Amino acid sequence: MNSQNLPFALTRPVHAEHVRLVVSDLDLVSRYYRTVIGLELLEDGRSGQILGTGGRRLLTLVHDPDARRSPREAAGLFHTAFLVPDRRELARWVAHAAELDVRLEGASDHLVSEAVYLSDPEGNGIEIYRDRGPNEWRYHDDGTVQMATERLNLRALIAVATDADWKGMADGTVIGHIHLQVGDVDRAESFYRDVMGLQVMARYQGASFFATGGYHHHLAANIWNSRGAGARPAGTAGLASYTLRYNDQAALAATLAAAEAQEIPTQSSAEGYTLTDPWGIGITLSP
């Protein structure tokens, strides 16, 4: 993707980039992300698969046939949010889902975006959304952004779709944000704001939304199902880790310094630096 054509979300100092899921039935889950969501198979290995669009890696599926289904109340993934290039592409995906009789779990107008929600066969949440232009967003005096959850008119949205055959997610689709289930929102704020250096962009009851550079959110954390949850149980399917890309190397240095100051272990890897959040979810900080 040409850097000039990047969505606003990816031009910010830090943004979400990649999600890694452990799945017990690789064939079933992979087929769902390819046929329903529309991702491409980029790599197929003995331990799993990498899926994406236009050569961009978005999702790794790690195969563990012995992995247990993660309890609904456990910390982990609420949803992976795939950001499509525009409203027409969102409409085309919704029309495709309707043709397949895919069960949607929600459809909302968030003022900053329009989104539909569903889950993969192993219960991992998915959001497909498009952003309105940042010039259409409204910010409060404290820098937070106005968001809401209003009904999305799917019939009107589908009317925007063209008759062209749907051949998968459009090139330019990216991971716009990652929404987590955590055990405590205040603790999540302390970690994502004070260690990771993200700004709190909005708060709902039981949830906080974090970003850099004025985006509405690159990460979110809620306790709607998981209040009081501890570290993720070993041997469970679901979210293993995710990647944050640092466009601003000063921001990366500040995050590493904050982690060291709070005695949070970090390790250097081929992809950058790795650490875990307070609930045992892995994070790769990619320069």
PDB file of all heavy atoms in Angstrom, residues 82-112:
ATOM      1  N   PHE A  82     -11.380  -4.914  11.542  1.00  0.00           N
ATOM      2  CA  PHE A  82     -10.833  -4.747  10.201  1.00  0.00           C
ATOM      3  C   PHE A  82     -11.407  -3.469   9.588  1.00  0.00           C
ATOM      4  O   PHE A  82     -12.624  -3.340   9.421  1.00  0.00           O
ATOM      5  CB  PHE A  82     -11.164  -5.955   9.331  1.00  0.00           C
ATOM      6  CG  PHE A  82     -10.535  -7.231   9.821  1.00  0.00           C
ATOM      7  CD1 PHE A  82     -11.253  -8.106  10.623  1.00  0.00           C
ATOM      8  CD2 PHE A  82      -9.225  -7.541   9.501  1.00  0.00           C
ATOM      9  CE1 PHE A  82     -10.680  -9.289  11.087  1.00  0.00           C
ATOM     10  CE2 PHE A  82      -8.638  -8.720   9.962  1.00  0.00           C
ATOM     11  CZ  PHE A  82      -9.370  -9.594  10.762  1.00  0.00           C
ATOM     12  N   LEU A  83     -10.529  -2.551   9.269  1.00  0.00           N
ATOM     13  CA  LEU A  83     -10.910  -1.256   8.717  1.00  0.00           C
ATOM     14  C   LEU A  83     -10.839  -1.308   7.194  1.00  0.00           C
ATOM     15  O   LEU A  83      -9.753  -1.493   6.622  1.00  0.00           O
ATOM     16  CB  LEU A  83      -9.963  -0.171   9.249  1.00  0.00           C
ATOM     17  CG  LEU A  83     -10.078   1.232   8.654  1.00  0.00           C
ATOM     18  CD1 LEU A  83     -11.451   1.831   8.895  1.00  0.00           C
ATOM     19  CD2 LEU A  83      -8.980   2.135   9.232  1.00  0.00           C
ATOM     20  N   VAL A  84     -11.996  -1.162   6.525  1.00  0.00           N
ATOM     21  CA  VAL A  84     -12.036  -1.184   5.058  1.00  0.00           C
ATOM     22  C   VAL A  84     -11.831   0.238   4.532  1.00  0.00           C
ATOM     23  O   VAL A  84     -12.014   1.218   5.254  1.00  0.00           O
ATOM     24  CB  VAL A  84     -13.352  -1.795   4.547  1.00  0.00           C
ATOM     25  CG1 VAL A  84     -13.485  -3.237   5.012  1.00  0.00           C
ATOM     26  CG2 VAL A  84     -14.559  -0.980   4.992  1.00  0.00           C
ATOM     27  N   PRO A  85     -11.443   0.373   3.255  1.00  0.00           N
ATOM     28  CA  PRO A  85     -11.058   1.698   2.753  1.00  0.00           C
ATOM     29  C   PRO A  85     -12.159   2.752   2.751  1.00  0.00           C
ATOM     30  O   PRO A  85     -11.870   3.945   2.902  1.00  0.00           O
ATOM     31  CB  PRO A  85     -10.585   1.402   1.317  1.00  0.00           C
ATOM     32  CG  PRO A  85     -10.148  -0.021   1.349  1.00  0.00           C
ATOM     33  CD  PRO A  85     -11.100  -0.692   2.286  1.00  0.00           C
ATOM     34  N   ASP A  86     -13.422   2.351   2.542  1.00  0.00           N
ATOM     35  CA  ASP A  86     -14.462   3.364   2.422  1.00  0.00           C
ATOM     36  C   ASP A  86     -15.836   2.733   2.641  1.00  0.00           C
ATOM     37  O   ASP A  86     -15.956   1.525   2.841  1.00  0.00           O
ATOM     38  CB  ASP A  86     -14.394   4.072   1.056  1.00  0.00           C
ATOM     39  CG  ASP A  86     -14.373   3.094  -0.117  1.00  0.00           C
ATOM     40  OD1 ASP A  86     -15.108   2.075  -0.065  1.00  0.00           O
ATOM     41  OD2 ASP A  86     -13.620   3.336  -1.085  1.00  0.00           O
ATOM     42  N   ARG A  87     -16.872   3.565   2.552  1.00  0.00           N
ATOM     43  CA  ARG A  87     -18.233   3.093   2.819  1.00  0.00           C
ATOM     44  C   ARG A  87     -18.705   2.101   1.757  1.00  0.00           C
ATOM     45  O   ARG A  87     -19.440   1.154   2.062  1.00  0.00           O
ATOM     46  CB  ARG A  87     -19.190   4.295   2.893  1.00  0.00           C
ATOM     47  CG  ARG A  87     -20.555   3.936   3.473  1.00  0.00           C
ATOM     48  CD  ARG A  87     -21.353   5.187   3.796  1.00  0.00           C
ATOM     49  NE  ARG A  87     -22.463   4.858   4.675  1.00  0.00           N
ATOM     50  CZ  ARG A  87     -23.735   4.824   4.303  1.00  0.00           C
ATOM     51  NH1 ARG A  87     -24.063   5.103   3.046  1.00  0.00           N
ATOM     52  NH2 ARG A  87     -24.683   4.527   5.163  1.00  0.00           N
ATOM     53  N   ARG A  88     -18.293   2.323   0.533  1.00  0.00           N
ATOM     54  CA  ARG A  88     -18.693   1.393  -0.529  1.00  0.00           C
ATOM     55  C   ARG A  88     -18.171  -0.003  -0.239  1.00  0.00           C
ATOM     56  O   ARG A  88     -18.896  -1.000  -0.431  1.00  0.00           O
ATOM     57  CB  ARG A  88     -18.170   1.895  -1.872  1.00  0.00           C
ATOM     58  CG  ARG A  88     -18.385   0.924  -3.027  1.00  0.00           C
ATOM     59  CD  ARG A  88     -17.860   1.510  -4.324  1.00  0.00           C
ATOM     60  NE  ARG A  88     -17.861   0.530  -5.409  1.00  0.00           N
ATOM     61  CZ  ARG A  88     -16.846  -0.289  -5.660  1.00  0.00           C
ATOM     62  NH1 ARG A  88     -15.742  -0.236  -4.915  1.00  0.00           N
ATOM     63  NH2 ARG A  88     -16.913  -1.152  -6.655  1.00  0.00           N
ATOM     64  N   GLU A  89     -16.941  -0.108   0.227  1.00  0.00           N
ATOM     65  CA  GLU A  89     -16.381  -1.429   0.521  1.00  0.00           C
ATOM     66  C   GLU A  89     -17.074  -2.061   1.717  1.00  0.00           C
ATOM     67  O   GLU A  89     -17.268  -3.283   1.757  1.00  0.00           O
ATOM     68  CB  GLU A  89     -14.874  -1.346   0.744  1.00  0.00           C
ATOM     69  CG  GLU A  89     -14.084  -1.028  -0.507  1.00  0.00           C
ATOM     70  CD  GLU A  89     -14.265  -2.070  -1.600  1.00  0.00           C
ATOM     71  OE1 GLU A  89     -14.604  -3.235  -1.289  1.00  0.00           O
ATOM     72  OE2 GLU A  89     -14.070  -1.729  -2.788  1.00  0.00           O
ATOM     73  N   LEU A  90     -17.459  -1.266   2.698  1.00  0.00           N
ATOM     74  CA  LEU A  90     -18.240  -1.811   3.810  1.00  0.00           C
ATOM     75  C   LEU A  90     -19.576  -2.327   3.297  1.00  0.00           C
ATOM     76  O   LEU A  90     -20.022  -3.427   3.673  1.00  0.00           O
ATOM     77  CB  LEU A  90     -18.455  -0.745   4.882  1.00  0.00           C
ATOM     78  CG  LEU A  90     -19.301  -1.182   6.095  1.00  0.00           C
ATOM     79  CD1 LEU A  90     -18.643  -2.345   6.835  1.00  0.00           C
ATOM     80  CD2 LEU A  90     -19.539  -0.006   7.036  1.00  0.00           C
ATOM     81  N   ALA A  91     -20.223  -1.561   2.436  1.00  0.00           N
ATOM     82  CA  ALA A  91     -21.506  -1.980   1.867  1.00  0.00           C
ATOM     83  C   ALA A  91     -21.356  -3.265   1.068  1.00  0.00           C
ATOM     84  O   ALA A  91     -22.196  -4.168   1.142  1.00  0.00           O
ATOM     85  CB  ALA A  91     -22.070  -0.870   0.987  1.00  0.00           C
ATOM     86  N   ARG A  92     -20.300  -3.367   0.279  1.00  0.00           N
ATOM     87  CA  ARG A  92     -20.071  -4.569  -0.511  1.00  0.00           C
ATOM     88  C   ARG A  92     -19.859  -5.778   0.390  1.00  0.00           C
ATOM     89  O   ARG A  92     -20.327  -6.878   0.086  1.00  0.00           O
ATOM     90  CB  ARG A  92     -18.877  -4.370  -1.454  1.00  0.00           C
ATOM     91  CG  ARG A  92     -19.124  -3.316  -2.530  1.00  0.00           C
ATOM     92  CD  ARG A  92     -17.960  -3.239  -3.498  1.00  0.00           C
ATOM     93  NE  ARG A  92     -17.915  -4.435  -4.343  1.00  0.00           N
ATOM     94  CZ  ARG A  92     -16.801  -5.117  -4.628  1.00  0.00           C
ATOM     95  NH1 ARG A  92     -15.647  -4.735  -4.115  1.00  0.00           N
ATOM     96  NH2 ARG A  92     -16.849  -6.168  -5.410  1.00  0.00           N
ATOM     97  N   TRP A  93     -19.130  -5.595   1.506  1.00  0.00           N
ATOM     98  CA  TRP A  93     -18.942  -6.734   2.408  1.00  0.00           C
ATOM     99  C   TRP A  93     -20.266  -7.140   3.058  1.00  0.00           C
ATOM    100  O   TRP A  93     -20.558  -8.332   3.175  1.00  0.00           O
ATOM    101  CB  TRP A  93     -17.910  -6.422   3.498  1.00  0.00           C
ATOM    102  CG  TRP A  93     -17.696  -7.652   4.337  1.00  0.00           C
ATOM    103  CD1 TRP A  93     -16.826  -8.668   4.085  1.00  0.00           C
ATOM    104  CD2 TRP A  93     -18.434  -8.024   5.503  1.00  0.00           C
ATOM    105  NE1 TRP A  93     -16.973  -9.660   5.020  1.00  0.00           N
ATOM    106  CE2 TRP A  93     -17.948  -9.297   5.908  1.00  0.00           C
ATOM    107  CE3 TRP A  93     -19.442  -7.425   6.245  1.00  0.00           C
ATOM    108  CZ2 TRP A  93     -18.448  -9.968   7.021  1.00  0.00           C
ATOM    109  CZ3 TRP A  93     -19.948  -8.094   7.355  1.00  0.00           C
ATOM    110  CH2 TRP A  93     -19.457  -9.347   7.737  1.00  0.00           C
ATOM    111  N   VAL A  94     -21.071  -6.172   3.472  1.00  0.00           N
ATOM    112  CA  VAL A  94     -22.362  -6.491   4.096  1.00  0.00           C
ATOM    113  C   VAL A  94     -23.259  -7.221   3.105  1.00  0.00           C
ATOM    114  O   VAL A  94     -23.950  -8.186   3.460  1.00  0.00           O
ATOM    115  CB  VAL A  94     -23.034  -5.216   4.636  1.00  0.00           C
ATOM    116  CG1 VAL A  94     -24.462  -5.506   5.091  1.00  0.00           C
ATOM    117  CG2 VAL A  94     -22.224  -4.655   5.809  1.00  0.00           C
ATOM    118  N   ALA A  95     -23.255  -6.794   1.844  1.00  0.00           N
ATOM    119  CA  ALA A  95     -24.052  -7.482   0.825  1.00  0.00           C
ATOM    120  C   ALA A  95     -23.556  -8.915   0.642  1.00  0.00           C
ATOM    121  O   ALA A  95     -24.359  -9.857   0.495  1.00  0.00           O
ATOM    122  CB  ALA A  95     -23.981  -6.712  -0.494  1.00  0.00           C
ATOM    123  N   HIS A  96     -22.261  -9.101   0.646  1.00  0.00           N
ATOM    124  CA  HIS A  96     -21.673 -10.448   0.558  1.00  0.00           C
ATOM    125  C   HIS A  96     -22.102 -11.304   1.745  1.00  0.00           C
ATOM    126  O   HIS A  96     -22.503 -12.464   1.576  1.00  0.00           O
ATOM    127  CB  HIS A  96     -20.149 -10.318   0.506  1.00  0.00           C
ATOM    128  CG  HIS A  96     -19.396 -11.530   0.945  1.00  0.00           C
ATOM    129  ND1 HIS A  96     -19.315 -12.666   0.182  1.00  0.00           N
ATOM    130  CD2 HIS A  96     -18.679 -11.775   2.081  1.00  0.00           C
ATOM    131  CE1 HIS A  96     -18.577 -13.568   0.819  1.00  0.00           C
ATOM    132  NE2 HIS A  96     -18.190 -13.052   1.970  1.00  0.00           N
ATOM    133  N   ALA A  97     -22.054 -10.738   2.952  1.00  0.00           N
ATOM    134  CA  ALA A  97     -22.462 -11.481   4.145  1.00  0.00           C
ATOM    135  C   ALA A  97     -23.933 -11.864   4.074  1.00  0.00           C
ATOM    136  O   ALA A  97     -24.327 -12.961   4.485  1.00  0.00           O
ATOM    137  CB  ALA A  97     -22.177 -10.652   5.393  1.00  0.00           C
ATOM    138  N   ALA A  98     -24.752 -10.954   3.537  1.00  0.00           N
ATOM    139  CA  ALA A  98     -26.181 -11.248   3.401  1.00  0.00           C
ATOM    140  C   ALA A  98     -26.412 -12.404   2.436  1.00  0.00           C
ATOM    141  O   ALA A  98     -27.267 -13.272   2.673  1.00  0.00           O
ATOM    142  CB  ALA A  98     -26.932 -10.008   2.938  1.00  0.00           C
ATOM    143  N   GLU A  99     -25.647 -12.448   1.354  1.00  0.00           N
ATOM    144  CA  GLU A  99     -25.774 -13.539   0.395  1.00  0.00           C
ATOM    145  C   GLU A  99     -25.426 -14.889   1.031  1.00  0.00           C
ATOM    146  O   GLU A  99     -26.018 -15.915   0.715  1.00  0.00           O
ATOM    147  CB  GLU A  99     -24.874 -13.294  -0.810  1.00  0.00           C
ATOM    148  CG  GLU A  99     -25.387 -12.221  -1.749  1.00  0.00           C
ATOM    149  CD  GLU A  99     -24.514 -12.114  -2.993  1.00  0.00           C
ATOM    150  OE1 GLU A  99     -23.569 -12.927  -3.128  1.00  0.00           O
ATOM    151  OE2 GLU A  99     -24.787 -11.226  -3.821  1.00  0.00           O
ATOM    152  N   LEU A 100     -24.469 -14.875   1.936  1.00  0.00           N
ATOM    153  CA  LEU A 100     -24.062 -16.107   2.617  1.00  0.00           C
ATOM    154  C   LEU A 100     -24.925 -16.400   3.843  1.00  0.00           C
ATOM    155  O   LEU A 100     -24.725 -17.421   4.495  1.00  0.00           O
ATOM    156  CB  LEU A 100     -22.591 -16.006   3.060  1.00  0.00           C
ATOM    157  CG  LEU A 100     -21.531 -15.948   1.964  1.00  0.00           C
ATOM    158  CD1 LEU A 100     -20.139 -15.942   2.589  1.00  0.00           C
ATOM    159  CD2 LEU A 100     -21.669 -17.102   0.987  1.00  0.00           C
ATOM    160  N   ASP A 101     -25.872 -15.500   4.131  1.00  0.00           N
ATOM    161  CA  ASP A 101     -26.731 -15.636   5.313  1.00  0.00           C
ATOM    162  C   ASP A 101     -25.903 -15.704   6.587  1.00  0.00           C
ATOM    163  O   ASP A 101     -26.164 -16.495   7.496  1.00  0.00           O
ATOM    164  CB  ASP A 101     -27.622 -16.877   5.193  1.00  0.00           C
ATOM    165  CG  ASP A 101     -28.812 -16.837   6.156  1.00  0.00           C
ATOM    166  OD1 ASP A 101     -29.200 -15.725   6.554  1.00  0.00           O
ATOM    167  OD2 ASP A 101     -29.325 -17.915   6.510  1.00  0.00           O
ATOM    168  N   VAL A 102     -24.874 -14.850   6.649  1.00  0.00           N
ATOM    169  CA  VAL A 102     -24.016 -14.776   7.826  1.00  0.00           C
ATOM    170  C   VAL A 102     -24.765 -14.090   8.964  1.00  0.00           C
ATOM    171  O   VAL A 102     -25.417 -13.059   8.763  1.00  0.00           O
ATOM    172  CB  VAL A 102     -22.722 -13.993   7.505  1.00  0.00           C
ATOM    173  CG1 VAL A 102     -21.892 -13.757   8.762  1.00  0.00           C
ATOM    174  CG2 VAL A 102     -21.912 -14.743   6.459  1.00  0.00           C
ATOM    175  N   ARG A 103     -24.678 -14.664  10.141  1.00  0.00           N
ATOM    176  CA  ARG A 103     -25.341 -14.082  11.304  1.00  0.00           C
ATOM    177  C   ARG A 103     -24.499 -12.932  11.849  1.00  0.00           C
ATOM    178  O   ARG A 103     -23.375 -13.129  12.310  1.00  0.00           O
ATOM    179  CB  ARG A 103     -25.534 -15.135  12.398  1.00  0.00           C
ATOM    180  CG  ARG A 103     -26.160 -14.584  13.678  1.00  0.00           C
ATOM    181  CD  ARG A 103     -26.346 -15.669  14.721  1.00  0.00           C
ATOM    182  NE  ARG A 103     -26.838 -15.126  15.982  1.00  0.00           N
ATOM    183  CZ  ARG A 103     -26.048 -14.703  16.966  1.00  0.00           C
ATOM    184  NH1 ARG A 103     -24.731 -14.773  16.827  1.00  0.00           N
ATOM    185  NH2 ARG A 103     -26.566 -14.224  18.082  1.00  0.00           N
ATOM    186  N   LEU A 104     -25.044 -11.723  11.777  1.00  0.00           N
ATOM    187  CA  LEU A 104     -24.399 -10.559  12.372  1.00  0.00           C
ATOM    188  C   LEU A 104     -24.861 -10.403  13.817  1.00  0.00           C
ATOM    189  O   LEU A 104     -26.008 -10.694  14.142  1.00  0.00           O
ATOM    190  CB  LEU A 104     -24.724  -9.297  11.577  1.00  0.00           C
ATOM    191  CG  LEU A 104     -24.290  -9.273  10.115  1.00  0.00           C
ATOM    192  CD1 LEU A 104     -24.658  -7.939   9.480  1.00  0.00           C
ATOM    193  CD2 LEU A 104     -22.797  -9.541   9.968  1.00  0.00           C
ATOM    194  N   GLU A 105     -23.959  -9.930  14.661  1.00  0.00           N
ATOM    195  CA  GLU A 105     -24.283  -9.756  16.076  1.00  0.00           C
ATOM    196  C   GLU A 105     -24.577  -8.310  16.437  1.00  0.00           C
ATOM    197  O   GLU A 105     -24.988  -8.023  17.560  1.00  0.00           O
ATOM    198  CB  GLU A 105     -23.122 -10.290  16.922  1.00  0.00           C
ATOM    199  CG  GLU A 105     -22.898 -11.781  16.712  1.00  0.00           C
ATOM    200  CD  GLU A 105     -21.624 -12.286  17.379  1.00  0.00           C
ATOM    201  OE1 GLU A 105     -20.870 -11.460  17.936  1.00  0.00           O
ATOM    202  OE2 GLU A 105     -21.383 -13.503  17.329  1.00  0.00           O
ATOM    203  N   GLY A 106     -24.374  -7.417  15.481  1.00  0.00           N
ATOM    204  CA  GLY A 106     -24.662  -6.013  15.731  1.00  0.00           C
ATOM    205  C   GLY A 106     -24.279  -5.169  14.541  1.00  0.00           C
ATOM    206  O   GLY A 106     -23.511  -5.593  13.673  1.00  0.00           O
ATOM    207  N   ALA A 107     -24.831  -3.961  14.493  1.00  0.00           N
ATOM    208  CA  ALA A 107     -24.516  -2.994  13.443  1.00  0.00           C
ATOM    209  C   ALA A 107     -24.736  -1.612  14.034  1.00  0.00           C
ATOM    210  O   ALA A 107     -25.856  -1.293  14.450  1.00  0.00           O
ATOM    211  CB  ALA A 107     -25.396  -3.210  12.218  1.00  0.00           C
ATOM    212  N   SER A 108     -23.684  -0.804  14.090  1.00  0.00           N
ATOM    213  CA  SER A 108     -23.764   0.461  14.821  1.00  0.00           C
ATOM    214  C   SER A 108     -23.131   1.608  14.061  1.00  0.00           C
ATOM    215  O   SER A 108     -22.145   1.430  13.330  1.00  0.00           O
ATOM    216  CB  SER A 108     -23.051   0.329  16.182  1.00  0.00           C
ATOM    217  OG  SER A 108     -23.658  -0.651  16.986  1.00  0.00           O
ATOM    218  N   ASP A 109     -23.709   2.779  14.256  1.00  0.00           N
ATOM    219  CA  ASP A 109     -23.120   4.038  13.830  1.00  0.00           C
ATOM    220  C   ASP A 109     -22.484   4.661  15.067  1.00  0.00           C
ATOM    221  O   ASP A 109     -23.179   4.987  16.036  1.00  0.00           O
ATOM    222  CB  ASP A 109     -24.191   4.957  13.254  1.00  0.00           C
ATOM    223  CG  ASP A 109     -23.621   6.243  12.679  1.00  0.00           C
ATOM    224  OD1 ASP A 109     -22.563   6.699  13.158  1.00  0.00           O
ATOM    225  OD2 ASP A 109     -24.236   6.814  11.769  1.00  0.00           O
ATOM    226  N   HIS A 110     -21.158   4.787  15.058  1.00  0.00           N
ATOM    227  CA  HIS A 110     -20.432   5.313  16.218  1.00  0.00           C
ATOM    228  C   HIS A 110     -20.053   6.788  16.048  1.00  0.00           C
ATOM    229  O   HIS A 110     -19.197   7.280  16.764  1.00  0.00           O
ATOM    230  CB  HIS A 110     -19.176   4.477  16.472  1.00  0.00           C
ATOM    231  CG  HIS A 110     -19.458   3.059  16.873  1.00  0.00           C
ATOM    232  ND1 HIS A 110     -20.204   2.738  17.985  1.00  0.00           N
ATOM    233  CD2 HIS A 110     -19.099   1.874  16.308  1.00  0.00           C
ATOM    234  CE1 HIS A 110     -20.287   1.422  18.099  1.00  0.00           C
ATOM    235  NE2 HIS A 110     -19.635   0.879  17.092  1.00  0.00           N
ATOM    236  N   LEU A 111     -20.655   7.467  15.101  1.00  0.00           N
ATOM    237  CA  LEU A 111     -20.392   8.872  14.764  1.00  0.00           C
ATOM    238  C   LEU A 111     -19.060   9.021  14.035  1.00  0.00           C
ATOM    239  O   LEU A 111     -19.000   9.678  12.991  1.00  0.00           O
ATOM    240  CB  LEU A 111     -20.418   9.780  15.995  1.00  0.00           C
ATOM    241  CG  LEU A 111     -21.702   9.739  16.844  1.00  0.00           C
ATOM    242  CD1 LEU A 111     -21.617  10.754  17.977  1.00  0.00           C
ATOM    243  CD2 LEU A 111     -22.935   9.999  16.000  1.00  0.00           C
ATOM    244  N   VAL A 112     -17.999   8.424  14.562  1.00  0.00           N
ATOM    245  CA  VAL A 112     -16.704   8.470  13.888  1.00  0.00           C
ATOM    246  C   VAL A 112     -16.585   7.372  12.839  1.00  0.00           C
ATOM    247  O   VAL A 112     -15.703   7.410  11.965  1.00  0.00           O
ATOM    248  CB  VAL A 112     -15.543   8.342  14.890  1.00  0.00           C
ATOM    249  CG1 VAL A 112     -15.496   9.546  15.819  1.00  0.00           C
ATOM    250  CG2 VAL A 112     -15.639   7.044  15.694  1.00  0.00           C
TER     251      VAL A 112
END
